[in-house]
Amino acid sequence: MLKYWCMISIKNLKKRYDDGNFAIRGISADFDKRLTTVIGRNGAGKTTMMRILSTQLLQSSGTVEIDGLDNVKDAKEIRKRIVSIPQEASPIGYLTPMEHLKMYLCARGMSLKDAGIEASKALRELELWHARDTPSDMLSGGMKRKIFVAMALAANADTIFLDEPTTGLDPLSRIEVWSAIKRLRGNIVLTTHYMEEAAELSEAVVMVESGKIIATGTIKSLLSKFKGMARAEITSSSAKAKYTIGNTKIEYIKLKEAESYVKNGYAIKPITLDDLFIMRGVNIES
Ligand SMILES: Nc1ncnc2c1ncn2[C@@H]1O[C@H](COP(=O)(O)OP(=O)(O)OP(=O)(O)O)[C@@H](O)[C@H]1O
Ligand SMILES: [Mg+2]
């Protein structure tokens, strides 16, 4: 059970893979809220960072402290206190949710009896109880992901890392997984591509792109400059605009201006995560 607030402190973190490319190019941040969302597009460096924080990968330079423990020197101690659910996690088809949880808890050092008790509590709490003895092959995508959230819940870890827990799920299954995540105890670091997921689950958001942090704050503060605005897009070589992505020219306009932009052939789109990245000069085509 969480006894005190845990904080993750990252200083000038860099990771260069063997092929010579830097996946993390100097990240410094304190994750001091209960749930921090790391948001970024494909290849931004989210998984690399999560793997370093959860002691599965060594950084090239820089330091990481979790609750005062160093991710390299104190890796063994950190591992007792964390749960990490990787991006590619998928259950073993012929094992049931109950079997997954018991196996996981026993591997973490729990007795089989205690594992059964904790697994039952978690499966009940996350509304997986009715499916506890169903082979996971027969469960929906959302239910499969919930098995991993149940593992994290049952392990009673201080800190939980969830790498893209809802990618590929339909909107309803995503909501189901969100409600499971909300019942987790302890501190959580979660990665996602989805703005609405960050908004639903967390206060603190860290935006990463090309191995760097490009903005941090609350969803509200990050979106504040877009209040009452929309995105006007036109595909035209002659149009002048502040932002250009390929052939598309983009302007950020006030909603009351939309009509005149439509008359001039612009398409009006609601603001999305992409706009936060575009405004910061990220080429979202790449
Ligand atoms: N084992 C590896 N060896 C070499 N390069 C790697 C390796 N793993 C990742 N990379 C590269 O590091 C960069 C960051 O990858 P990473 O998987 O951390 O991104 P991500 O933000 O998790 O992306 P996604 O949203 O697609 O999961 C990418 O350019 C990727 O190609
Ligand atoms: Mg990833």
Side-chain angles (χ1 to χ4, degrees):
M1 221 18 217
L2 181 70
K3 291 183 212 75
Y4 39 81
W5 211 245
C6 162
M7 159 138 149
I8 299 176
S9 179
I10 306 171
K11 294 210 171 69
N12 205 14
L13 191 70
K14 293 186 182 164
K15 176 64 190 178
R16 185 183 202 174
Y17 282 111
D18 291 344
D19 60 6
N21 286 331
F22 274 99
I24 304 282
R25 298 161 185 268
I27 283 184
S28 297
D30 286 336
F31 295 174
D32 56 2
K33 298 281 188 300
R34 202 182 87 76
L35 199 156
T36 300
T37 300
V38 178
I39 190 161
R41 299 172 316 123
N42 290 128
K46 302 180 298 297
T47 296
T48 303
M49 180 162 82
M50 292 291 261
R51 294 188 65 213
I52 294 171
L53 299 186
S54 56
T55 76
Q56 298 168 66
L57 185 69
L58 286 174
Q59 62 264 45
S60 304
S61 61
T63 58
V64 174
E65 279 188 4
I66 299 183
D67 202 14
L69 297 171
D70 182 272
N71 75 316
V72 182
K73 279 201 318 264
D74 307 315
K76 260 191 165 171
E77 184 52 39
I78 290 178
R79 284 178 198 148
K80 290 183 201 157
R81 304 184 183 195
I82 65 168
V83 168
S84 173
I85 307 297
Q87 183 171 353
E88 65 277 10
S90 77
I92 299 167
Y94 56 84
L95 295 182
T96 67
M98 180 61 97
E99 286 165 343
H100 275 93
L101 264 71
K102 279 186 182 169
M103 196 171 72
Y104 180 65
L105 295 172
C106 288
R108 286 181 71 94
M110 225 180 248
S111 71
L112 186 57
K113 184 169 170 244
D114 286 348
I117 294 168
E118 293 304 321
S120 301
K121 273 201 269 181
L123 291 168
R124 280 205 166 90
E125 194 167 341
L126 298 191
E127 281 140 28
L128 277 170
W129 184 245
H130 63 286
R132 65 191 177 282
D133 295 326
T134 307
S136 49
D137 255 353
M138 293 167 65
L139 301 175
S140 69
M143 299 274 274
K144 285 181 183 154
R145 297 286 176 92
K146 273 170 66 174
I147 296 176
F148 292 97
V149 181
M151 286 178 177
L153 179 65
N156 265 327
D158 289 351
T159 303
I160 297 161
F161 297 96
L162 300 168
D163 194 359
E164 295 195 27
T166 67
T167 297
L169 297 183
D170 67 61
L172 276 180
S173 306
R174 189 168 295 151
I175 290 168
E176 217 181 292
V177 175
W178 287 348
S179 92
I181 291 171
K182 284 180 191 165
R183 291 194 219 166
L184 288 171
R185 293 174 281 268
N187 306 290
I188 301 165
V189 181
L190 177 145
T191 72
T192 188
H193 295 155
Y194 305 114
M195 193 67 188
E196 71 272 25
E197 183 155 312
E200 176 72 25
L201 293 174
S202 67
E203 262 287 287
V205 178
V206 175
M207 287 172 65
V208 291
E209 172 61 27
S210 304
K212 285 198 154 177
I213 293 180
I214 56 170
T216 55
T218 60
I219 286 281
K220 212 171 152 196
S221 70
L222 288 171
L223 285 175
S224 60
K225 60 161 63 114
F226 289 109
K227 206 161 172 226
M229 295 180 83
R231 168 173 162 177
E233 271 185 23
I234 192 163
T235 312
S236 147
S237 51
S238 58
K240 282 207 166 66
K242 192 157 178 201
Y243 304 93
T244 304
I245 308 277
N247 290 333
T248 307
K249 307 285 167 66
I250 294 171
E251 291 283 4
Y252 293 100
I253 61 164
K254 296 202 174 95
L255 287 171
K256 60 182 179 202
E257 299 169 318
E259 207 175 320
S260 65
Y261 273 84
V262 170
K263 275 191 195 138
N264 287 320
Y266 282 77
I268 306 299
K269 306 261 173 82
I271 299 294
T272 71
L273 169 65
D274 282 348
D275 298 296
L276 281 172
F277 285 101
I278 293 168
M279 273 235 168
R280 284 167 173 83
V282 176
N283 182 358
I284 61 162
E285 267 200 331
S286 60

